[in-house]
Structures are given as structure tokens and as C-alpha cells.
């Protein structure tokens, strides 16, 4: 198979368009979509940070909390909360119009806490091993997938696949290679 015809087709995670991935890390069809995704991640981060601030401000020993505080703590919507109150599932007190307080202790028994905001976006976990037992050599790859060694090198560079040289051999993670050539005729 000529190198030029080898492509990874993906669906853009923002606009849904199919596109040819330039590297195995490309998830968006264009700079524009990648910017939109970045902005969405940032907004989500900021939103979570704001909610974390609210959670921090809730006095530890106070049981009855505001609806907005319950949202910040558990991520449960106003509607859900009012439904729980209406059904009598959780205790509440009413301090006046729009001054409902709900029992934090009771909510803690019913709901897991909302996940904390990530101050730094987590890097995508690289789950490859460069141990020789988990790798192919270039020779093994070209044999298995019927490619020229030079083509294999080209793909490895093009898709930024990690390699490790030991003696005269270059080792490449099996997982990455199998993924890359998945669906390719052998
Ligand atoms: Zn797109």
C-alpha cells in the first residue's frame, strides 16, 4: 500500500464532519473547531471553579443549605431538588419566599459529590509500553503488514508514534501499531 493513501478518518468532535487526521492526536477537523473545543473546555473549567468556591464557602457544621449550594455540592438541578422536597425525600425548611434550605446530611446519603474542578486539564493518558515484550521491531511490522521498512518509518514519524532503540533494533508499541493499521488489508 503506498504511503500517500494511508489515512485515518475521524469524525470531528465539534462539528461532526468527517476529516483526515494529520496525527493520531487530531480530534478536530479544523483550527476553528479545535478553538471551539478549547474554549468549551476552559468555560467548563471556570464553571467548575466557581462551583468549588461556593462549596468552600458552605460552613462545615451547617446542615441546611441553599438550593444553589446543593447544586454546587452535588451537581443536582433545581428541578430535581424541588421534586425531592415535594416527595418528602429530603427535609427542608422555608425561611421565606425563595429561601428554601435543604438538609445537606440527607443529600450526602443520597448523592455522590460533584467531581472537583480540574485546575489543570489532565493530559491524555498514554497507555503504551516501550518494553520489548509489548513492542514490534520495524522488521516485524513491515512483515506483518506487508509494508516497506521505509513506509513504516514514514508512518511512525507522521503519526508521532513513540519508539525505543535497543542495539540495532527500533521498538514500537504493538498497541499503537495495531491501532494504526487496524482495518488495513494484510
Ligand atoms: Zn469540525
Amino acid at each position: 500500500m503506498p504511503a500517500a493513501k494511508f489515512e485515518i478518518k475521524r469524525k470531528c468532535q465539534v462539528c461532526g464532519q468527517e476529516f483526515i487526521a494529520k496525527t493520531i492526536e487530531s480530534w478536530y477537523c479544523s483550527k476553528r473547531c479545535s478553538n471551539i473545543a478549547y474554549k468549551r473546555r476552559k468555560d467548563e473549567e471556570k464553571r467548575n471553579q466557581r462551583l468549588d468556591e461556593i462549596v468552600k464557602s458552605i460552613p462545615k457544621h451547617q446542615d441546611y443549605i441553599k438550593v444553589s449550594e446543593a447544586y454546587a455540592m452535588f451537581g443536582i438541578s433545581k428541578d430535581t431538588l424541588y421534586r425531592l422536597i415535594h416527595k418528602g425525600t429530603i427535609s427542608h425548611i422555608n425561611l421565606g419566599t425563595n429561601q428554601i434550605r435543604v438538609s445537606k446530611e440527607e443529600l450526602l446519603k443520597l448523592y455522590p459529590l460533584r467531581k472537583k474542578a480540574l485546575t489543570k486539564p489532565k493530559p491524555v493518558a498514554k497507555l503504551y509500553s516501550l518494553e520489548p515484550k509489548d513492542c514490534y521491531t520495524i522488521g516485524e511490522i513491515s512483515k506483518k503488514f506487508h509494508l516497506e521498512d521505509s513506509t513504516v518509518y514514514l508512518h511512525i514519524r507522521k503519526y508521532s508514534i513513540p519508539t525505543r532503540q535497543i542495539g540495532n533494533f527500533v521498538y514500537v508499541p504493538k498497541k499503537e501499531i495495531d491501532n494504526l493499521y487496524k482495518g488495513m488489508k494484510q
Side-chain angles (χ1 to χ4, degrees):
M1 180 181 267
K5 278 199 179 163
F6 179 80
E7 344 185 280
I8 302 177
K9 267 193 196 141
R10 279 197 181 137
K11 236 182 189 171
C12 173
Q13 298 197 330
V14 170
C15 72
Q17 286 268 14
E18 222 175 55
F19 70 103
I20 308 296
K22 287 198 193 81
T23 76
I24 47 174
E25 306 276 335
S26 313
W27 298 105
Y28 310 104
C29 72
S30 59
K31 186 93 185 97
R32 186 176 166 271
C33 281
S34 127
N35 285 343
I36 291 170
Y38 178 80
K39 181 155 189 320
R40 282 184 192 165
R41 271 197 307 275
K42 283 283 153 202
D43 288 350
E44 178 65 13
E45 225 173 90
K46 261 187 229 153
R47 197 182 71 89
N48 275 314
Q49 276 166 3
R50 267 198 305 274
L51 293 174
D52 285 352
E53 288 305 312
I54 296 174
V55 173
K56 262 190 247 160
S57 73
I58 303 170
K60 266 221 156 57
H61 301 292
Q62 181 185 314
D63 186 12
Y64 283 88
I65 57 173
K66 291 177 193 164
V67 170
S68 57
E69 291 171 337
Y71 177 72
M73 269 187 90
F74 305 99
I76 39 177
S77 71
K78 232 182 191 176
D79 286 350
T80 306
L81 209 52
Y82 283 124
R83 218 173 301 132
L84 291 173
I85 292 169
H86 191 74
K87 279 200 295 188
T89 311
I90 47 162
S91 308
H92 74 284
I93 46 177
N94 201 343
L95 304 175
T97 317
N98 291 324
Q99 301 257 7
I100 283 181
R101 301 287 184 271
V102 289
S103 169
K104 182 172 72 182
E105 295 305 315
E106 289 175 30
L107 283 171
L108 276 169
K109 286 177 201 155
L110 288 172
Y111 288 94
L113 292 174
R114 183 183 55 84
K115 285 207 182 73
K116 282 261 157 58
L118 301 165
T119 33
K120 273 185 207 139
K122 253 195 201 154
V124 179
K126 291 264 186 188
L127 294 172
Y128 52 73
S129 155
L130 284 168
E131 289 305 309
K133 68 174 173 54
D134 300 314
C135 291
Y136 295 124
T137 60
I138 299 295
E140 285 170 343
I141 298 168
S142 44
K143 207 170 157 196
K144 183 169 180 185
F145 297 98
H146 307 290
L147 297 164
E148 296 292 324
D149 283 9
S150 58
T151 308
V152 175
Y153 276 115
L154 197 85
H155 290 164
I156 286 171
R157 271 199 310 275
K158 185 172 174 193
Y159 294 100
S160 313
I161 293 169
T163 58
R164 176 186 184 185
Q165 178 138 17
I166 305 174
N168 289 322
F169 294 101
V170 173
Y171 291 90
V172 195
K174 281 181 183 168
K175 219 176 149 181
E176 299 283 304
I177 291 298
D178 287 338
N179 238 334
L180 187 68
Y181 294 130
K182 195 167 52 190
M184 196 179 110
K185 274 191 192 143
Q186 287 177 34

